């Protein structure tokens, strides 16, 4: 059966109009929870980017000079290899460094254009046997100032702390967001239940005269979807507005290597798309539950 | 048009509301269902429009096996059935015209059809001059006429009426019965549950009497008792 668009739109609008207060409540609940999810994702991306070199157990990096000779590189490599304090070792030549650079700045191509492989220092990523700060400092001092070595940088406690805090906050944020999303589902469900109750006589007549099930359901499904969607749009708006403040508040000077944190539009587009999908999903699921519980009796 | 084969309906854990009913109603018949309250009249009606499914037996309505009809097909069955109730079931926030138009609108009839059908059916039920009134501005008899207009506007094959005169005084009831008779004359099968003795006796149509769920009488040109 052809669904009549004007009818569907009119009925949905009427439902929303009749239950304005609770509709606002459910939309706000969706938007707050999605904004929280968005901030958590944004923070995680930012911190991951900033600490991207320090994946796994890598505790320090020996950066070679760009002009260092292959003999010098060879020498450091052998020395690290034979060092009993070193558990694992990865060598990044200039090509690999460039690959990594492109990865880290995948969303800011203008940055990548200014750099070539030849500009980037080769490096050794070192996992020491003993990961205590003292042991790492001892190892670092052995390589600091060696011929061909530009500098040796360590995964400072600051980075570890930031990672730990970021992980903790992200988990807490996501947990709270999930709880809020469940609350949002319940509120939307109640809103739709209310809309169904308000219109029970109309629904009874519709059934009686042979309106198809989908015809009866769609305005309510659409109402749920809309609440989720509007909530998501508000959340995205809030994220876009607060993003600059959020970036400023990150302790950039604590992050030694690439302190520049940017959340480019490409990166955010993915997050926004994700939030929109979650919003629509939450609204539709809530409406579907309400409709199947209170309509299909 | 309507056939019941050994139909039994038992509500959860209760005594049967209808037991082993066998009825055959032809196209164009006018049938009264009579019996005391709780005798199974309403259950009979509700089985026909598939608000209930039989516990046992088979029901055929307008060529369809209602007992095994999937729920997605029920709306299409109901488009062939008009239903009228004691409490009219009108939408109080809609005018007479809107109430009748609603029935066509929600089954997706085009606006042009609605615009031509609604005034015609209001003319038929004698409410052309009340088209823009709201239900609360109408008398009980007028409200029931609106309800009949809504049930009949889609030209169903069958009209089911559950105590349509239950809330009306005798004079008004006569008017409603005349209207149902006119509808019946167009070839529409009418099944009406009632315990209005005078109406049944006056009309002398087929009477099916129910008592505690069993059909105890099925009589052409019958009276109430």
């Amino acid at each position: 059966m052809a669904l009549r668009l004007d009818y569907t739109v009119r009925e949905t609008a009427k439902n929303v109009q009749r239950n304005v207060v609770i509709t606002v409540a459910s939309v706000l609940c969706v938007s707050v929870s999605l904004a929280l999810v968005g901030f958590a994702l944004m923070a995680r991306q930012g911190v991951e980017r900033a600490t991207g070199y320090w994946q796994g157990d890598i505790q320090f990096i020996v950066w070679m000079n760009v002009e260092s000779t292959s003999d010098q590189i060879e020498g450091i490599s052998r020395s690290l290899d034979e060092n009993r304090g070193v558990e694992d070792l990865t060598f990044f030549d200039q090509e690999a460094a460039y690959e990594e650079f492109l990865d880290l700045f995948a969303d800011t191509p203008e940055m990548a254009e200014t750099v070539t492989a030849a500009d980037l220092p080769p490096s050794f990523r070192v996992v020491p046997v003993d990961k205590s700060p003292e042991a790492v400092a001892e190892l670092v001092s052995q390589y600091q100032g060696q011929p061909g070595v530009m500098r040796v940088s360590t995964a400072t406690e600051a980075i570890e702390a930031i990672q730990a805090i970021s992980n903790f906050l992200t988990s807490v944020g996501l947990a709270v967001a999930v709880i809020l999303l469940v609350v949002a589902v319940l509120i939307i469900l109640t809103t739709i239940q209310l809309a169904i109750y308000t219109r029970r006589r109309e629904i009874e007549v519709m059934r009686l005269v042979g309106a198809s099930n989908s015809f009866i359901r769609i305005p309510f499904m659409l109402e749920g979807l809309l609440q989720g969607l509007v909530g998501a749009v508000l959340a995205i708006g809030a994220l876009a507005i607060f993003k600059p403040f959020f970036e400023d508040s990150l302790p950039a000077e604590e992050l030694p290597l690439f302190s520049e944190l940017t959340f480019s539009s490409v990166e955010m587009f993915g997050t926004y798309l994700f939030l929109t999908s979650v919003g629509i999903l939450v609204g539709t699921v809530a409406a579907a539950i309400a409709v199947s519980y209170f309509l299909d009796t | 048009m309507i056939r019941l084969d050994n139909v039994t309906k038992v509500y959860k854990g209760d005594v049967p509301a209808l037991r082993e009913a066998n009825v055959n109603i032809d196209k164009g018949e006018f049938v009264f269902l009579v019996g005391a309250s709780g005798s199974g009249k309403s259950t009979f009606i509700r089985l026909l429009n598939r608000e209930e499914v039989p516990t046992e037996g088979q029901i055929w309505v307008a060529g369809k096996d209602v007992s095994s009809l999937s729920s997605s097909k029920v709306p299409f069955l109901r488009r062939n059935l008009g239903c009228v109730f004691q409490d009219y079931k009108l939408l109080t926030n809609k005018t007479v015209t809107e109430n009748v138009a609603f029935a066509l609108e929600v089954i997706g009839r085009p606006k042009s059809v609605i615009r031509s059908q609604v005034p015609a059916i209001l003319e038929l039920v004698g409410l052309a001059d009340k088209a823009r009134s709201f239900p609360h501005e109408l008398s009980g008899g007028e409200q029931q006429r609106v309800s009949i207009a809504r049930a009949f506007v889609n030209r169903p094959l069958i009209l089911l009426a559950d105590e349509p005169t239950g809330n009306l005084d005798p004079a008004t009831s006569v008017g409603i019965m005349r209207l149902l008779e006119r509808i019946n004359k167009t070839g529409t099968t009418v099944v009406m549950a009632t315990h209005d003795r005078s109406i049944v006796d006056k009309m002398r149509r087929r009477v099916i009497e129910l008592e505690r769920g069993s059909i105890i009488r099925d009589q052409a040109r019958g009276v109430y008792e």
Side-chain angles (χ1 to χ4, degrees), chain A residues 1-2 4 6-7 10-11 14 18 199 201-213 215, chain B residues 49 51 71-72 75 78-79 83 85 89-91 93-94 102-103 105-109 111 114 150:
Chain A
M1 187 196 72
R4 294 188 34 193
D6 56 339
Y7 171 87
R10 200 178 66 218
E11 291 308 303
K14 226 189 274 174
R18 275 182 195 159
R199 302 192 50 212
R201 290 194 55 99
E202 275 170 69
I203 292 167
E204 186 188 5
V205 172
M206 282 160 102
R207 284 232 177 84
L208 211 61
V209 299
S212 69
N213 296 337
F215 189 89
Chain B
N49 72 0
E51 280 188 74
S71 62
S72 62
R78 295 204 180 137
R79 288 176 198 185
C83 290
F85 300 90
K89 297 196 194 297
L90 298 178
L91 301 174
N93 58 340
K94 290 187 193 296
F102 185 72
E105 197 179 21
V106 299
I107 60 172
R109 287 292 137 88
K111 281 210 171 79
I114 297 174
R150 182 179 63 193

Short mmCIF file of all heavy atoms in Angstrom, two decimals, chain A residues 1-2 4 6-7 10-11 14 18 199 201-213 215, chain B residues 49 51 71-72 75 78-79 83 85 89-91 93-94 102-103 105-109 111 114 150:
data_model
loop_
_atom_site.label_atom_id
_atom_site.label_comp_id
_atom_site.label_asym_id
_atom_site.label_seq_id
_atom_site.Cartn_x
_atom_site.Cartn_y
_atom_site.Cartn_z
N MET A 1 0.83 -1.19 0.00
CA MET A 1 0.00 0.00 0.00
C MET A 1 0.88 1.25 0.00
O MET A 1 1.86 1.33 0.70
CB MET A 1 -0.88 -0.02 1.24
CG MET A 1 -1.90 1.08 1.24
SD MET A 1 -2.59 1.29 2.88
CE MET A 1 -1.22 2.03 3.73
N ALA A 2 0.45 2.19 -0.80
CA ALA A 2 1.22 3.43 -0.85
C ALA A 2 0.99 4.21 0.45
O ALA A 2 -0.13 4.52 0.81
CB ALA A 2 0.78 4.28 -2.04
N ARG A 4 0.94 7.43 2.62
CA ARG A 4 0.79 8.82 2.22
C ARG A 4 1.69 9.69 3.06
O ARG A 4 1.55 9.77 4.27
CB ARG A 4 -0.67 9.21 2.32
CG ARG A 4 -1.44 8.41 1.28
CD ARG A 4 -2.85 8.82 1.15
NE ARG A 4 -3.07 10.23 1.34
CZ ARG A 4 -4.28 10.72 1.51
NH1 ARG A 4 -5.31 9.93 1.52
NH2 ARG A 4 -4.44 12.01 1.67
N ASP A 6 2.08 12.95 3.26
CA ASP A 6 1.52 14.09 3.99
C ASP A 6 0.86 13.62 5.28
O ASP A 6 1.00 14.24 6.32
CB ASP A 6 0.53 14.88 3.12
CG ASP A 6 -0.58 14.00 2.58
OD1 ASP A 6 -0.39 12.77 2.54
OD2 ASP A 6 -1.64 14.53 2.20
N TYR A 7 0.17 12.48 5.20
CA TYR A 7 -0.48 11.94 6.40
C TYR A 7 0.55 11.61 7.47
O TYR A 7 0.44 12.02 8.63
CB TYR A 7 -1.27 10.68 6.05
CG TYR A 7 -1.79 9.95 7.26
CD1 TYR A 7 -3.02 10.30 7.83
CD2 TYR A 7 -1.05 8.93 7.86
CE1 TYR A 7 -3.47 9.68 8.96
CE2 TYR A 7 -1.51 8.30 8.99
CZ TYR A 7 -2.72 8.67 9.54
OH TYR A 7 -3.16 8.03 10.67
N ARG A 10 2.15 14.67 9.01
CA ARG A 10 1.19 15.39 9.83
C ARG A 10 1.00 14.69 11.18
O ARG A 10 1.01 15.31 12.23
CB ARG A 10 -0.14 15.47 9.08
CG ARG A 10 -1.07 16.56 9.57
CD ARG A 10 -2.32 16.59 8.73
NE ARG A 10 -3.11 15.39 8.91
CZ ARG A 10 -3.77 14.79 7.92
NH1 ARG A 10 -3.73 15.26 6.70
NH2 ARG A 10 -4.47 13.71 8.16
N GLU A 11 0.83 13.36 11.12
CA GLU A 11 0.58 12.61 12.35
C GLU A 11 1.79 12.65 13.27
O GLU A 11 1.66 12.78 14.48
CB GLU A 11 0.23 11.15 12.02
CG GLU A 11 -1.12 10.99 11.34
CD GLU A 11 -2.24 11.67 12.09
OE1 GLU A 11 -2.45 11.37 13.28
OE2 GLU A 11 -2.91 12.54 11.49
N LYS A 14 1.97 15.95 14.90
CA LYS A 14 0.93 16.06 15.92
C LYS A 14 1.36 15.37 17.21
O LYS A 14 1.18 15.89 18.30
CB LYS A 14 -0.36 15.42 15.38
CG LYS A 14 -1.60 16.27 15.62
CD LYS A 14 -2.85 15.52 15.27
CE LYS A 14 -3.20 15.63 13.81
NZ LYS A 14 -4.35 14.76 13.46
N ARG A 18 1.88 17.18 20.82
CA ARG A 18 1.06 16.85 21.98
C ARG A 18 1.90 16.56 23.21
O ARG A 18 1.46 16.75 24.33
CB ARG A 18 0.20 15.62 21.68
CG ARG A 18 -1.08 15.98 20.98
CD ARG A 18 -1.90 14.74 20.76
NE ARG A 18 -2.95 15.00 19.79
CZ ARG A 18 -3.56 14.06 19.11
NH1 ARG A 18 -3.22 12.80 19.26
NH2 ARG A 18 -4.50 14.36 18.26
N ARG A 199 -3.45 8.48 21.38
CA ARG A 199 -4.15 8.26 20.12
C ARG A 199 -4.83 6.91 20.07
O ARG A 199 -5.09 6.37 19.00
CB ARG A 199 -3.16 8.41 18.97
CG ARG A 199 -2.49 9.78 18.96
CD ARG A 199 -1.75 10.00 17.68
NE ARG A 199 -2.60 9.70 16.55
CZ ARG A 199 -2.14 9.22 15.41
NH1 ARG A 199 -0.86 8.99 15.26
NH2 ARG A 199 -2.96 8.96 14.42
N ARG A 201 -7.78 5.83 20.60
CA ARG A 201 -9.09 5.72 19.94
C ARG A 201 -8.92 5.77 18.42
O ARG A 201 -9.57 5.03 17.68
CB ARG A 201 -10.04 6.83 20.43
CG ARG A 201 -10.46 6.61 21.87
CD ARG A 201 -11.63 7.46 22.26
NE ARG A 201 -12.78 7.31 21.38
CZ ARG A 201 -13.84 6.54 21.65
NH1 ARG A 201 -13.88 5.87 22.77
NH2 ARG A 201 -14.84 6.47 20.82
N GLU A 202 -8.05 6.65 17.98
CA GLU A 202 -7.77 6.72 16.54
C GLU A 202 -7.20 5.39 16.05
O GLU A 202 -7.58 4.90 14.99
CB GLU A 202 -6.76 7.83 16.24
CG GLU A 202 -7.39 9.18 16.09
CD GLU A 202 -6.33 10.27 16.04
OE1 GLU A 202 -5.60 10.31 15.05
OE2 GLU A 202 -6.25 11.05 17.00
N ILE A 203 -6.29 4.83 16.85
CA ILE A 203 -5.67 3.58 16.45
C ILE A 203 -6.72 2.46 16.39
O ILE A 203 -6.73 1.65 15.46
CB ILE A 203 -4.53 3.20 17.44
CG1 ILE A 203 -3.39 4.20 17.29
CG2 ILE A 203 -4.05 1.78 17.19
CD1 ILE A 203 -2.37 4.13 18.40
N GLU A 204 -7.63 2.48 17.36
CA GLU A 204 -8.70 1.48 17.38
C GLU A 204 -9.53 1.58 16.09
O GLU A 204 -9.82 0.57 15.44
CB GLU A 204 -9.60 1.73 18.61
CG GLU A 204 -10.66 0.67 18.81
CD GLU A 204 -11.64 1.03 19.91
OE1 GLU A 204 -11.55 2.15 20.45
OE2 GLU A 204 -12.51 0.20 20.19
N VAL A 205 -9.88 2.83 15.75
CA VAL A 205 -10.68 3.02 14.53
C VAL A 205 -9.87 2.61 13.29
O VAL A 205 -10.38 1.96 12.38
CB VAL A 205 -11.14 4.49 14.41
CG1 VAL A 205 -11.80 4.74 13.06
CG2 VAL A 205 -12.11 4.82 15.53
N MET A 206 -8.59 2.96 13.29
CA MET A 206 -7.75 2.60 12.14
C MET A 206 -7.73 1.10 11.94
O MET A 206 -7.84 0.60 10.82
CB MET A 206 -6.31 3.11 12.36
CG MET A 206 -6.15 4.59 12.11
SD MET A 206 -4.69 5.21 12.93
CE MET A 206 -3.58 5.31 11.58
N ARG A 207 -7.59 0.36 13.04
CA ARG A 207 -7.59 -1.10 12.96
C ARG A 207 -8.91 -1.60 12.40
O ARG A 207 -8.96 -2.48 11.56
CB ARG A 207 -7.43 -1.68 14.37
CG ARG A 207 -6.04 -1.58 14.89
CD ARG A 207 -5.60 -2.96 15.38
NE ARG A 207 -4.23 -2.91 15.83
CZ ARG A 207 -3.89 -2.52 17.04
NH1 ARG A 207 -4.82 -2.21 17.92
NH2 ARG A 207 -2.63 -2.46 17.37
N LEU A 208 -9.97 -0.97 12.93
CA LEU A 208 -11.32 -1.39 12.57
C LEU A 208 -11.60 -1.26 11.08
O LEU A 208 -12.22 -2.12 10.48
CB LEU A 208 -12.28 -0.48 13.35
CG LEU A 208 -13.60 -1.04 13.77
CD1 LEU A 208 -13.37 -2.20 14.71
CD2 LEU A 208 -14.39 0.06 14.49
N VAL A 209 -11.13 -0.15 10.51
CA VAL A 209 -11.45 0.08 9.10
C VAL A 209 -10.39 -0.51 8.17
O VAL A 209 -10.48 -0.37 6.96
CB VAL A 209 -11.65 1.58 8.79
CG1 VAL A 209 -12.80 2.13 9.61
CG2 VAL A 209 -10.38 2.35 9.02
N GLY A 210 -9.38 -1.17 8.74
CA GLY A 210 -8.44 -1.91 7.90
C GLY A 210 -7.20 -1.15 7.48
O GLY A 210 -6.65 -1.42 6.43
N ALA A 211 -6.76 -0.19 8.32
CA ALA A 211 -5.46 0.44 8.04
C ALA A 211 -4.39 -0.63 8.24
O ALA A 211 -4.46 -1.42 9.17
CB ALA A 211 -5.22 1.61 8.99
N SER A 212 -3.39 -0.65 7.36
CA SER A 212 -2.38 -1.70 7.46
C SER A 212 -1.50 -1.45 8.69
O SER A 212 -1.41 -0.33 9.18
CB SER A 212 -1.51 -1.74 6.22
OG SER A 212 -0.71 -0.60 6.16
N ASN A 213 -0.89 -2.52 9.18
CA ASN A 213 -0.07 -2.40 10.39
C ASN A 213 1.03 -1.37 10.22
O ASN A 213 1.29 -0.58 11.11
CB ASN A 213 0.54 -3.76 10.73
CG ASN A 213 -0.54 -4.77 11.08
OD1 ASN A 213 -1.64 -4.40 11.47
ND2 ASN A 213 -0.24 -6.05 10.93
N PHE A 215 1.07 1.17 8.29
CA PHE A 215 0.49 2.51 8.24
C PHE A 215 0.30 3.05 9.66
O PHE A 215 0.54 4.23 9.93
CB PHE A 215 -0.86 2.45 7.52
CG PHE A 215 -1.45 3.80 7.23
CD1 PHE A 215 -1.14 4.45 6.05
CD2 PHE A 215 -2.29 4.41 8.13
CE1 PHE A 215 -1.68 5.69 5.77
CE2 PHE A 215 -2.82 5.65 7.86
CZ PHE A 215 -2.51 6.29 6.68
N ASN B 49 -14.67 -10.45 12.51
CA ASN B 49 -13.73 -9.42 12.04
C ASN B 49 -12.32 -9.68 12.55
O ASN B 49 -11.46 -8.81 12.50
CB ASN B 49 -14.23 -8.01 12.35
CG ASN B 49 -14.13 -7.67 13.83
OD1 ASN B 49 -13.71 -8.47 14.64
ND2 ASN B 49 -14.54 -6.46 14.16
N GLU B 51 -11.01 -10.01 15.44
CA GLU B 51 -10.46 -9.46 16.66
C GLU B 51 -10.11 -10.61 17.58
O GLU B 51 -9.31 -10.47 18.51
CB GLU B 51 -11.46 -8.51 17.33
CG GLU B 51 -11.48 -7.14 16.69
CD GLU B 51 -12.33 -6.16 17.46
OE1 GLU B 51 -11.87 -5.73 18.52
OE2 GLU B 51 -13.44 -5.86 17.00
N SER B 71 -1.55 -12.08 10.39
CA SER B 71 -1.96 -10.79 10.93
C SER B 71 -1.73 -9.65 9.93
O SER B 71 -2.40 -8.63 9.99
CB SER B 71 -1.23 -10.50 12.24
OG SER B 71 0.16 -10.42 12.00
N SER B 72 -0.78 -9.86 9.01
CA SER B 72 -0.56 -8.80 8.03
C SER B 72 -1.69 -8.72 7.00
O SER B 72 -1.85 -7.72 6.31
CB SER B 72 0.78 -9.02 7.32
OG SER B 72 0.75 -10.24 6.61
N PRO B 75 -5.82 -6.51 7.95
CA PRO B 75 -6.36 -5.23 7.48
C PRO B 75 -7.15 -5.35 6.18
O PRO B 75 -8.17 -4.68 6.01
CB PRO B 75 -5.11 -4.38 7.27
CG PRO B 75 -4.12 -4.94 8.23
CD PRO B 75 -4.39 -6.41 8.28
N ARG B 78 -10.53 -6.62 6.84
CA ARG B 78 -11.40 -5.63 7.48
C ARG B 78 -11.88 -4.57 6.51
O ARG B 78 -12.87 -3.89 6.76
CB ARG B 78 -10.66 -4.98 8.65
CG ARG B 78 -10.38 -6.01 9.73
CD ARG B 78 -10.20 -5.39 11.10
NE ARG B 78 -9.93 -6.44 12.06
CZ ARG B 78 -9.02 -6.37 13.02
NH1 ARG B 78 -8.31 -5.28 13.15
NH2 ARG B 78 -8.84 -7.38 13.84
N ARG B 79 -11.17 -4.41 5.39
CA ARG B 79 -11.66 -3.44 4.40
C ARG B 79 -12.93 -3.93 3.73
O ARG B 79 -13.65 -3.16 3.11
CB ARG B 79 -10.57 -3.19 3.35
CG ARG B 79 -9.44 -2.37 3.94
CD ARG B 79 -8.31 -2.17 3.00
NE ARG B 79 -7.13 -1.77 3.78
CZ ARG B 79 -5.98 -1.41 3.27
NH1 ARG B 79 -5.84 -1.39 1.96
NH2 ARG B 79 -4.98 -1.08 4.04
N CYS B 83 -17.91 -2.13 10.47
CA CYS B 83 -18.27 -2.45 11.85
C CYS B 83 -18.94 -1.26 12.53
O CYS B 83 -18.48 -0.13 12.42
CB CYS B 83 -17.03 -2.82 12.67
SG CYS B 83 -16.34 -4.40 12.18
N PHE B 85 -20.74 -0.12 16.35
CA PHE B 85 -20.80 -0.53 17.75
C PHE B 85 -21.79 0.31 18.53
O PHE B 85 -22.18 1.40 18.11
CB PHE B 85 -19.42 -0.41 18.40
CG PHE B 85 -18.39 -1.28 17.74
CD1 PHE B 85 -17.63 -0.81 16.69
CD2 PHE B 85 -18.21 -2.59 18.16
CE1 PHE B 85 -16.69 -1.62 16.07
CE2 PHE B 85 -17.29 -3.41 17.55
CZ PHE B 85 -16.53 -2.93 16.50
N LYS B 89 -17.78 4.78 18.64
CA LYS B 89 -16.34 4.89 18.40
C LYS B 89 -15.99 6.00 17.40
O LYS B 89 -15.21 5.80 16.46
CB LYS B 89 -15.78 3.55 17.90
CG LYS B 89 -15.91 2.44 18.92
CD LYS B 89 -15.05 1.26 18.58
CE LYS B 89 -15.39 0.01 19.37
NZ LYS B 89 -15.18 0.16 20.83
N LEU B 90 -16.58 7.17 17.61
CA LEU B 90 -16.22 8.31 16.76
C LEU B 90 -15.05 9.06 17.39
O LEU B 90 -14.83 8.99 18.60
CB LEU B 90 -17.42 9.26 16.64
CG LEU B 90 -18.67 8.66 15.98
CD1 LEU B 90 -19.80 9.69 15.95
CD2 LEU B 90 -18.36 8.17 14.57
N LEU B 91 -14.30 9.75 16.55
CA LEU B 91 -13.18 10.54 17.06
C LEU B 91 -13.70 11.93 17.39
O LEU B 91 -14.19 12.66 16.52
CB LEU B 91 -12.07 10.61 16.01
CG LEU B 91 -11.53 9.24 15.62
CD1 LEU B 91 -10.55 9.34 14.47
CD2 LEU B 91 -10.89 8.55 16.81
N ASN B 93 -12.38 14.70 18.22
CA ASN B 93 -11.72 15.92 17.75
C ASN B 93 -11.86 16.12 16.24
O ASN B 93 -11.24 16.99 15.68
CB ASN B 93 -10.23 15.88 18.15
CG ASN B 93 -9.52 14.67 17.57
OD1 ASN B 93 -10.19 13.69 17.20
ND2 ASN B 93 -8.21 14.73 17.47
N LYS B 94 -12.65 15.25 15.63
CA LYS B 94 -12.85 15.39 14.19
C LYS B 94 -14.32 15.65 13.90
O LYS B 94 -15.21 15.17 14.61
CB LYS B 94 -12.42 14.11 13.47
CG LYS B 94 -10.91 13.87 13.47
CD LYS B 94 -10.58 12.67 12.58
CE LYS B 94 -9.16 12.17 12.75
NZ LYS B 94 -8.14 13.14 12.36
N PHE B 102 -11.65 9.84 7.46
CA PHE B 102 -10.53 9.16 8.12
C PHE B 102 -10.46 7.69 7.72
O PHE B 102 -9.39 7.14 7.46
CB PHE B 102 -10.73 9.30 9.64
CG PHE B 102 -9.61 8.76 10.47
CD1 PHE B 102 -8.38 9.42 10.51
CD2 PHE B 102 -9.76 7.60 11.22
CE1 PHE B 102 -7.34 8.94 11.29
CE2 PHE B 102 -8.72 7.10 11.99
CZ PHE B 102 -7.51 7.78 12.03
N ALA B 103 -11.64 7.06 7.64
CA ALA B 103 -11.69 5.63 7.30
C ALA B 103 -11.11 5.37 5.91
O ALA B 103 -10.50 4.32 5.68
CB ALA B 103 -13.12 5.13 7.38
N GLU B 105 -9.00 7.61 4.36
CA GLU B 105 -7.64 8.14 4.36
C GLU B 105 -6.64 7.09 4.83
O GLU B 105 -5.59 6.91 4.23
CB GLU B 105 -7.60 9.36 5.29
CG GLU B 105 -6.41 10.25 5.09
CD GLU B 105 -6.47 11.45 6.03
OE1 GLU B 105 -7.18 11.39 7.06
OE2 GLU B 105 -5.80 12.44 5.73
N VAL B 106 -6.98 6.40 5.93
CA VAL B 106 -6.00 5.49 6.52
C VAL B 106 -5.86 4.18 5.74
O VAL B 106 -5.00 3.36 6.06
CB VAL B 106 -6.31 5.18 8.01
CG1 VAL B 106 -6.27 6.47 8.81
CG2 VAL B 106 -7.62 4.45 8.17
N ILE B 107 -6.71 3.95 4.76
CA ILE B 107 -6.46 2.79 3.91
C ILE B 107 -5.91 3.26 2.55
O ILE B 107 -5.86 2.50 1.59
CB ILE B 107 -7.69 1.88 3.73
CG1 ILE B 107 -8.85 2.64 3.10
CG2 ILE B 107 -8.12 1.28 5.07
CD1 ILE B 107 -10.02 1.74 2.72
N GLY B 108 -5.49 4.53 2.53
CA GLY B 108 -4.73 5.02 1.39
C GLY B 108 -5.56 5.37 0.16
O GLY B 108 -5.06 5.39 -0.96
N ARG B 109 -6.85 5.66 0.36
CA ARG B 109 -7.65 6.07 -0.79
C ARG B 109 -7.25 7.47 -1.22
O ARG B 109 -6.97 8.33 -0.37
CB ARG B 109 -9.15 6.06 -0.42
CG ARG B 109 -9.74 4.68 -0.28
CD ARG B 109 -9.81 3.97 -1.63
NE ARG B 109 -9.38 2.60 -1.50
CZ ARG B 109 -10.20 1.59 -1.19
NH1 ARG B 109 -11.47 1.81 -1.02
NH2 ARG B 109 -9.73 0.38 -1.07
N LYS B 111 -7.31 11.35 -2.49
CA LYS B 111 -8.13 12.48 -2.04
C LYS B 111 -9.37 12.67 -2.89
O LYS B 111 -10.44 12.99 -2.38
CB LYS B 111 -7.28 13.75 -2.06
CG LYS B 111 -6.35 13.90 -0.88
CD LYS B 111 -6.13 15.39 -0.57
CE LYS B 111 -5.37 15.57 0.74
NZ LYS B 111 -3.93 15.34 0.61
N ILE B 114 -12.03 10.38 -1.78
CA ILE B 114 -12.56 10.82 -0.49
C ILE B 114 -13.53 11.98 -0.69
O ILE B 114 -14.63 12.00 -0.14
CB ILE B 114 -11.41 11.23 0.46
CG1 ILE B 114 -10.54 10.00 0.75
CG2 ILE B 114 -11.94 11.83 1.76
CD1 ILE B 114 -9.30 10.28 1.56
N ARG B 150 -19.35 5.77 8.29
CA ARG B 150 -17.93 5.42 8.28
C ARG B 150 -17.73 3.94 7.93
O ARG B 150 -16.82 3.58 7.19
CB ARG B 150 -17.30 5.73 9.64
CG ARG B 150 -15.81 5.44 9.69
CD ARG B 150 -15.21 5.76 11.03
NE ARG B 150 -15.79 4.90 12.07
CZ ARG B 150 -15.65 5.11 13.36
NH1 ARG B 150 -14.97 6.16 13.78
NH2 ARG B 150 -16.18 4.29 14.23
#
